[in-house]
Amino acid sequence: VVVEDRGGVRIPVGVVTDKGRLYLIMPEEHHPRRDGQVSAKERFAGLMGQRIQVSGMVTEYRDNRAMFVTSPPVPVEPPPPAE
């Protein structure tokens, strides 16, 4: 999870998959988002550097990927080491 705010510059929230693919995270398009009641930064900041599970609608265009989140992120345990 990537979340930063440096000198008033906002850096988007992103999630990197196990396969190294980066997804830009956006709150789901519904009324609370338009009203400013949903903040990706608030939901994801405490999970930075952790393994999480998140659900949503994915869109891809060329090498760019984004996910409109439909459920809150949930921390998950890392997989057991390969033997």
Side-chain angles (χ1 to χ4, degrees):
V1 176
V2 179
V3 180
E4 288 190 47
D5 189 354
R6 293 188 179 174
V9 176
R10 294 180 182 172
I11 299 180
V13 175
V15 173
V16 179
T17 68
D18 290 336
K19 294 181 180 181
R21 299 182 95 184
L22 174 65
Y23 287 82
L24 177 64
I25 296 297
M26 296 185 223
E28 177 67 350
E29 293 188 75
H30 53 71
H31 290 290
R33 183 186 73 82
R34 288 192 296 267
D35 295 339
Q37 296 176 7
V38 175
S39 167
K41 181 178 178 181
E42 290 175 9
R43 298 235 181 194
F44 285 85
L47 300 170
M48 191 170 10
Q50 295 184 36
R51 184 182 183 88
I52 63 169
Q53 178 179 339
V54 63
S55 298
M57 180 184 71
V58 172
T59 183
E60 295 185 30
Y61 179 72
R62 298 185 183 163
D63 289 332
N64 302 300
R65 296 170 203 88
M67 176 184 281
F68 292 91
V69 176
T70 57
S71 67
V74 178
V76 295
E77 294 294 321
E83 293 184 22

